[in-house]
Amino acid sequence: MCGIIGCITSDDCAAKSVYEGLLRLEYRGYDSVGISALGGGKIVTVKKSGRVSGLAEYVGGLKGNVAAGHTRWATHGAPSGVNAHPHCEGRFSVVHNGIIENYAELRDELISRGYEFRSETDSEVAVKLIADNFRGDVLAAVAAAAVRLRGSFALVVLCEGFEGFVAVRNRSSLVVGVCEEGIFAASDVPALPESADEITVMEDGDIAVITRSGAQYFDFCLNTVTRRARRVERDGFTADKGGYPHFMLKELNQSARAVEDTVEGFFRSVDLGRLRSLVSGADEIILTGCGTAYNSGLIAARFFGESSARVRVEIASELRYYPPKMSKNTLVIAISQSGETADTVGAVSLFRQTGAQVIAVTNCGYSAITRLANIVVPVCAGAEICVAATKSYFGQLAALYLTANVCADVAFAKSQLRSVALQFSSVLSQTAECECFAGMCAASRAVFFMGRGADYDVAVEASLKLKEVSYIFSDAYPAGELKHGTLALIDGDTLGIFVICQERTAEKCISAVHEVLCRGGKAAIITDMEAEDDSLDGVPVWRIPRVGKMSVFLSAFALQLVAYRTAVKIGRDPDKPRNLAKSVTVE
Ligand code: F6R
């Protein structure tokens, strides 16, 4: 959700380091891009609509040992060169990630004092406010502006006459890394050079003043604060497609490993005694997250079927404003690949204030939700660069399965996960089925995914993935609901994909397939059952390996592959779907 980066280097090619960092941050937004370089006491800025690579030809000409850059996911103001960051005023240049909620009021105030606004962004107030507060001391000007800003913001500020830069964090992630190339501050670790194996995670309300001699940290009242550097695991942060045509395919291929590594990470790093006492002490468990993370919560709620606690799944953006009445021992399980999703972090903060216990299930061990949680259950999926979540979903399912079984036979749960991980490759090898399903999706105006029980939860994720990367309209329904309204949408241009792996309701689902067929709709089935049904002649069936209740892993995997292949067939870029970005750090 916008990526920002600033650096000071020992050579005068800081802009090149920023450019390379932006390429690795592009998953956070890619509608416009800009870089400012500070050299010889002057700031030079280039910015453009479009992707980071659009700046390639200008980077060599941007000389200076200090630079800042931004890759944008538009919130206020259309994607355009003028709305692209950095925004400049006087001697200052600023890049911003987040949303400044009181920008309208600040803008009016600054206009009344004679400032002229060029863009439609909320961010431009930040640079003007800093310039307005400048009396010769950059740190003081930034702090005076920061206390006036409401909302979420990570800023990198360059100032002519100051050989370094200032970084500010409030509810938008920012990490500082020191390495041979220089000192960097960026929205996320992948933006830092490979050699930065120690990072300092800035806290909300921190200002970092970064010069050649190092980073010094202050709060908004200019008191010095101490922040410790920590080692960071860089494995898998490579922005390299590894021979695959897209990151999405590379990452789908890493799904089995995400399950295996998550199992390994669980037994290596989780305090099982503490986790057991949190789970067994809960009389209510709320699973929460957004998008695909929420979808993994839907399935996980079924993993907790044996628990005596009441289990519910809530969308984090709803939960934070409409919290249910809490019971005495509420346990919140917050699921987030990035650990930085504003809605999930907001929900967790709210529950922490009310005394609930929180488990964070996340792929990012230094993220905001890990700092709010009582305990972290790691997802060890490695860096996920494709905007759509793929392997992290399977890592989340594995982490949640172990958590749900921590008070039962967790060793057995581990062996079940290891067995299912071995079957991902069988699904990958079923390319004919995948092509057939993708061809049907590509030829349809709308695709409805249906199933019952846990198969419905898989359908929800399959539908999100397909619409996200192909832009084909799609929705998910419990198969029994079809006749209560959705059937009205069925015609020759619509496709129903049925997930049928729950024995208890298999026959009922087959009836729903007939309901679609006899109204002229198209249908396809994904199942782990052997039985053939003659009445369904002509309906493509994808038989995935039979793994009992672990079928959710394989059916969801198969349908994520279908989403990928559909997108490619119709010429979409699956790695960078339109209008979207990863790490949604704004509300
Ligand atoms: C879908 C997708 C999003 C994310 C959601 C939550 O493919 O990627 O729906 O799952 O934005 O993100 P995290 O897990 O980082 O909180």
Side-chain angles (χ1 to χ4, degrees), residues 290-293 335-339 341 387-389 396 464-465 468 584:
C290 301
T292 289
I335 312 159
S336 174
Q337 187 281 128
S338 62
T341 297
V387 165
Q396 285 163 359
L464 175 63
K465 206 87 326 157
E468 180 180 11
V584 186

Side-chain angles (χ1 to χ4, degrees), residues 207-440:
I207 302 179
V209 176
I210 297 171
T211 59
R212 227 190 255 282
S213 46
Q216 281 181 290
Y217 297 91
F218 302 87
D219 63 20
F220 287 1
C221 301
L222 300 182
N223 302 304
T224 306
V225 291
T226 307
R227 297 286 171 247
R228 276 212 317 272
R230 64 173 82 178
R231 281 198 74 74
V232 68
E233 194 54 72
R234 297 303 301 267
D235 182 34
F237 277 137
T238 161
D240 162 13
K241 292 189 190 133
Y244 291 95
H246 299 102
F247 282 111
M248 186 171 180
L249 186 59
K250 174 185 173 193
E251 290 163 7
L252 278 162
N253 274 271
Q254 294 172 330
S255 299
R257 185 171 158 202
V259 172
E260 282 159 359
D261 289 355
T262 299
V263 170
E264 219 268 305
F266 183 87
F267 289 99
R268 183 173 19 91
S269 67
V270 176
D271 176 345
L272 296 187
R274 174 116 182 78
L275 185 63
R276 268 185 201 116
S277 88
L278 284 178
V279 173
S280 62
D283 52 23
E284 177 184 46
I285 297 174
I286 303 176
L287 292 137
T288 192
C290 301
T292 289
Y294 167 79
N295 294 348
S296 71
L298 289 177
I299 289 183
R302 298 182 195 270
F303 296 159
F304 281 93
E306 304 294 303
S307 156
S308 57
R310 246 189 344 270
V311 182
R312 56 202 292 168
V313 195
E314 302 282 349
I315 290 176
S317 55
E318 289 293 301
L319 186 63
R320 64 184 299 192
Y321 292 109
Y322 300 99
K325 219 165 162 186
M326 261 175 47
S327 71
K328 226 167 74 220
N329 298 306
T330 296
L331 172 64
V332 174
I333 302 184
I335 312 159
S336 174
Q337 187 281 128
S338 62
E340 296 288 347
T341 297
D343 289 318
T344 311
V345 172
V348 171
S349 310
L350 178 86
F351 276 94
R352 284 298 279 159
Q353 281 158 26
T354 55
Q357 304 290 308
V358 175
I359 299 176
V361 175
T362 182
N363 198 27
C364 187
Y366 49 85
S367 57
I369 61 166
T370 62
R371 294 199 292 285
L372 290 165
N374 300 86
I375 190 165
V376 176
V377 175
V379 171
C380 305
E384 200 176 56
I385 307 281
C386 173
V387 165
T390 55
K391 59 178 177 169
S392 64
Y393 172 76
F394 300 104
Q396 285 163 359
L397 292 184
L400 290 161
Y401 192 65
L402 292 168
T403 304
N405 283 284
V406 73
C407 300
D409 190 349
V410 72
F412 180 58
K414 171 180 175 177
S415 69
Q416 286 175 301
L417 288 167
R418 285 196 161 151
S419 310
V420 78
L422 294 175
Q423 298 294 340
F424 277 70
S425 57
S426 313
V427 176
L428 266 173
S429 68
Q430 295 177 306
T431 49
E433 288 87 341
C434 186
E435 285 309 298
C436 166
F437 275 51
M440 290 179 83

Side-chain angles (χ1 to χ4, degrees), residues 20-32:
E20 285 163 2
L22 288 178
L23 285 173
R24 296 192 294 267
L25 274 185
E26 215 176 12
Y27 62 88
R28 300 175 69 98
Y30 31 84
D31 61 49
S32 53

Side-chain angles (χ1 to χ4, degrees), residues 447-450 456 459-461 463 467 474-478:
V447 181
F448 298 105
F449 290 88
M450 284 165 279
Y456 164 64
V460 174
E461 169 56 16
S463 167
K467 66 172 80 115
S474 164
D475 210 346
Y477 293 99

